[in-house]
Amino acid sequence: MKLKTEILLVFLIVGACLTIGTGVLYFYNARQIILEAASNQLESLSATKKHRLESIIYKKQEELRLVQSRLFQAEYLYQYNVFGQLSDTVAQSDRRLITKNIKKLTHDIESFKNIHVLNKEGIVIASTDSGSIHFNFSYFDFVQKALKLENSIYPIIDYKTDDIYLCLAGPIYYKQKLQGALLIETTTADLATLTGDYTGLGNTGETTIGQLLADTVACFITPTRNKECKFEKVFLNKIEPQSIFLALAGNEKLFLNVLDYNHKRVAASCRYIAATQWGIVTKIDMDELMAPAEALKWMSIRIGLGALFFLFLVSMILASSIVKPINKISEVARKVSQGDWSQQVRIHSNNELGDLAVSFNRMTKSLIEAQENLELKIEELDKSNVSLEKFAFVVSHDLRSPLNSVLGIAELLGTGNMGSLNDDGLQMLKLMQNKIEHMKGMIAGILEFARLNHQLPTHEVVDLELLIARLKSLDCGNVAIEVAQELPPLNMNTVVAEQLFQNLWSNAVKYNKSEQKKIVFSAYQSENDTVYSVTDNGIGIGVSHFDTIFEIFHTVGPKGSDSTGIGLAIVKKIVESYGGKIWIKSQLGEGSTFFFTLPYAQVNSTIKQVLQTY
Ligand code: ADP
């Protein structure tokens, strides 16, 4: 992965983690605050509504007590009870008086719809609604309560008109005795005003007041906000009770995410009015309650995305500003590595990258200086090599002619033309001739070795088998030459290749005392190279000489032998100049094998045939 991408990724991952982490934390905190604020508002509204409802109930109870306290009415009822049994006329007159009285009351108090006066049996004896006379109310709970001296308020549903109204029921006393009961039908207008006030309740919120009709049925006393009908019945969902049943069960707290009568999920603040056994619920749909949190969520997401995009831009700029100078340096380094040392990095910042650029420029400068020095040294070395070669050539040439003269003189001495020598003298002369020949050999070897220094390795296809065939043709006495298997052609200078093989071949013959001398040429493919080998059945070499044998002038065996110690040094130099290496395996008296790696040529069979014809 590129450095710029890496930096970008690190910035983005860290940035994204921070943004998302902070965003989520912020969102959940804010959501909690919003939820708490909304819940508190709902709770305080609910408390206010309960308070107002209690005031209305209190007012209605006061009105009931007011009517109950009308003494003359109680008196008429007493008379009706006592004397009405004596004559119908009296009864009729009392009933008229009571009716007149209650009619006046319905005029005085606006919320009163009808007033019924019941005898002790619960039968209407006087009413503002003449149609209700003689109606038996004794089966109603609230009438039973009234006849047992208890005041109560109870909703009555008029199924004909689908109207709901409140019935205020209570006993009538006279002379400290129960004379009958009073039923006042009042409208629910003031309750409807209370529940119809949606202030602070948004688009879906409302207040509902409910009363149990049976164990699993409740009805709303006032119209609901949906206004599907004037009153509404709710049947208890036993698995998950609706909010009004929670209030009717006496709960006085906030419920979140509860079921409502209209099957929606709501936040409902429940209250219970013990005096009337009513439940009052102030609630709002969860969707609406959570709307600000939901809006906040989307806003947070948008801000987060914006922040990420901004982060991406900043990361890009930062990554570029970091990577650009590095790229500059690496580009210059690439050019320098290709040999263009004149390149300089141009970064003028005061930071670490600027320091790096300065150091880099300093380094290339010193490299240039070192290179110049090196070139100078090479030039000097070349010059000295050339003069050395010249020197070797001149020396060897100049030494050769006096040596040849000495040899000539020695020969003359040997023929006896210059005076006869005795046997000892002749032996000494022979020894001297041998030494001069050895010296000539050494001088020739030095010249050859020195020349190799200056020869650059050249390449051509050398048919090795042909080369060995030529070696075979040299008459060296009893020598059997074998080629172990097909030898791959070499890729090197032919003359140099001959020089190499000839040296090894002549050593194999020279340092061999076997009756039947044997030389085996072979090649095999190792892991990376082709390894050639020359094996003989000669005198062998001790392990202690394995490393030193390739050094110039290093010889093995008795002093005074005709070995110059140059042949293997030349072989090593040739192998190494072609990038190869040479080593030996040998055992004294058992023969030696010289291994070396050399470049080989890929030649197809046709070319090989052509090569062999030459
Ligand atoms: P020279 O050119 O005089 O033969 P070399 O450098 O070729 O000298 O050899 C160095 C020494 O290594 C020789 O003196 C010889 O004793 C030993 N040597 C080289 N080749 C062989 C061989 N094939 N078997 C045994 N000894 C060898």
Side-chain angles (χ1 to χ4, degrees), residues 503-504 506-512 536 538-541 549 551 554-557 561-569 586 591-592 594:
N503 264 308
L504 290 172
S506 69
N507 277 356
V509 175
K510 214 186 328 174
Y511 305 109
N512 201 326
D536 62 55
I539 57 170
I541 301 162
I549 202 168
E551 286 170 12
H554 187 92
T555 57
V556 186
S561 71
D562 62 348
S563 171
T564 57
I566 292 174
L568 284 180
S586 178
S592 324
F594 287 87

Side-chain angles (χ1 to χ4, degrees), residues 26 50 61 85 103 121 162 213 308 316 329 345 347 368 446 456 471 475 523:
Y26 165 76
K50 180 186 175 182
Q61 284 169 337
Q85 293 157 10
K103 271 191 175 161
E121 281 74 45
D162 236 8
L213 297 180
L308 277 182
M316 282 282 278
I329 296 173
V345 184
I347 299 171
I368 292 170
I446 291 168
L456 282 176
L471 288 178
D475 185 20

Side-chain angles (χ1 to χ4, degrees), residues 68 73-75 77-82 85 117-123 142-151 169-182:
Q68 280 172 312
Q73 183 179 293
E75 198 182 327
L77 188 59
Y78 168 76
Q79 281 174 12
Y80 174 84
N81 282 339
V82 177
Q85 293 157 10
V117 177
L118 280 61
N119 65 13
K120 283 190 269 189
E121 281 74 45
I123 294 162
F142 53 92
V143 172
Q144 285 301 324
K145 275 187 186 170
L147 294 175
K148 283 175 191 152
L149 314 179
E150 255 184 71
N151 281 1
I172 301 176
Y173 287 111
Y174 188 70
K175 297 199 172 177
Q176 285 164 355
K177 272 195 182 149
L178 178 79
Q179 300 303 325
L182 186 68

Side-chain angles (χ1 to χ4, degrees), residues 223-239:
T224 57
R225 195 168 185 178
N226 302 310
K227 291 200 180 75
E228 274 164 24
C229 55
K230 287 181 188 165
F231 78 92
E232 211 154 338
K233 266 192 197 170
V234 206
F235 294 90
L236 174 69
N237 177 342
K238 284 186 182 152
I239 300 162

